[in-house]
Amino acid sequence: MYADPIHPPASPLESFHSIPASVGAIALGIALLLAGRRIFWLFVAAVGFVVAFELVSPWVGDDRPGIALILSGVAGLAGAVLAIFVQKVAVALVGAVAGAYYLHRLLEAASMHDPRYGWVSAAIGAVVGSLLLVFVFKWALVFFSSVVGAHLILKQAVEVWHIRLDLAGALFVALVIAGLLVQTRHLRGHPNEDEA
């Protein structure tokens, strides 16, 4: 079991202690991990929610998590509506947001993040993520939805079951690989299927 009272959780999502929210996040993570490409609108909504919650929580504070959830829910809903009605714009935007966010988190995890130049990594991640989703839509969506699904599952697993951080890293990689295998198997089996 892992509990470190000296170092607080790195993410506001890790400090949210609601069992229904944890179960919902894990269910959403599993859905994205196994079928994120086929439920594109849900993927966009999840990225909007996760990133908005990460950005809003420090401003709102731990004593009012409901406000952060409402604002994040609005961001997720706006992303889902955008994905349904303006797919091309939604593809570019979600690629940019996901690319910026996950490159930033990857650099932090590798201890290569310098706060003074955070905007540079965000810009690079945004451009790469946006281009990937626009030009290699199916395969990039499989990758990003697997990453977001694994992220949602592991955030809750670390908080609820106190999984050690080194084990969580290995599980994250295993979940992403599992998501890639499941979704690419379906993609190869249905090569003429529509993109979203």
Side-chain angles (χ1 to χ4, degrees):
M1 303 298 278
Y2 178 83
D4 188 352
I6 297 172
H7 301 96
S11 162
L13 284 176
E14 291 176 350
S15 62
F16 187 68
H17 297 288
S18 170
I19 295 301
S22 294
V23 171
I26 290 171
L28 177 59
I30 291 170
L32 291 175
L33 194 68
L34 301 179
R37 187 186 63 81
R38 289 181 284 158
I39 47 177
F40 174 66
W41 63 271
L42 184 61
F43 167 66
V44 174
V47 169
F49 180 88
V50 168
V51 173
F53 195 85
E54 295 270 351
L55 294 174
V56 168
S57 291
W59 293 69
V60 173
D62 292 336
D63 55 334
R64 295 180 293 174
I67 294 174
L69 284 174
I70 290 169
L71 293 174
S72 302
V74 169
L77 183 61
V81 170
L82 189 65
I84 292 169
F85 293 108
V86 195
Q87 184 177 337
K88 294 293 185 189
V89 174
V91 167
L93 281 177
V94 78
V97 171
Y101 176 77
Y102 283 106
L103 180 59
H104 172 77
R105 299 293 287 186
L106 180 66
L107 291 175
E108 271 187 340
S111 300
M112 296 171 58
H113 174 68
D114 185 342
R116 295 173 299 170
Y117 303 108
W119 64 272
V120 175
S121 64
I124 292 170
V127 170
V128 171
S130 184
L131 290 175
L132 275 175
L133 273 187
V134 168
F135 292 108
V136 200
F137 180 76
K138 288 182 183 180
W139 297 103
L141 186 54
V142 165
F143 174 76
F144 277 123
S145 62
S146 297
V147 168
V148 173
H151 172 83
L152 286 172
I153 294 167
L154 260 297
K155 284 289 184 188
Q156 299 309 311
V158 167
E159 177 60 35
V160 175
W161 296 302
H162 306 291
I163 294 175
R164 293 191 328 264
L165 294 183
D166 56 341
L167 178 59
L171 286 174
F172 177 80
V173 172
L175 284 172
V176 170
I177 290 171
L180 291 172
L181 290 174
V182 169
Q183 291 195 66
T184 54
R185 179 179 299 165
H186 184 271
L187 187 60
R188 284 195 301 268
H190 300 80
N192 297 320
E193 189 179 88
D194 290 335
E195 291 185 338

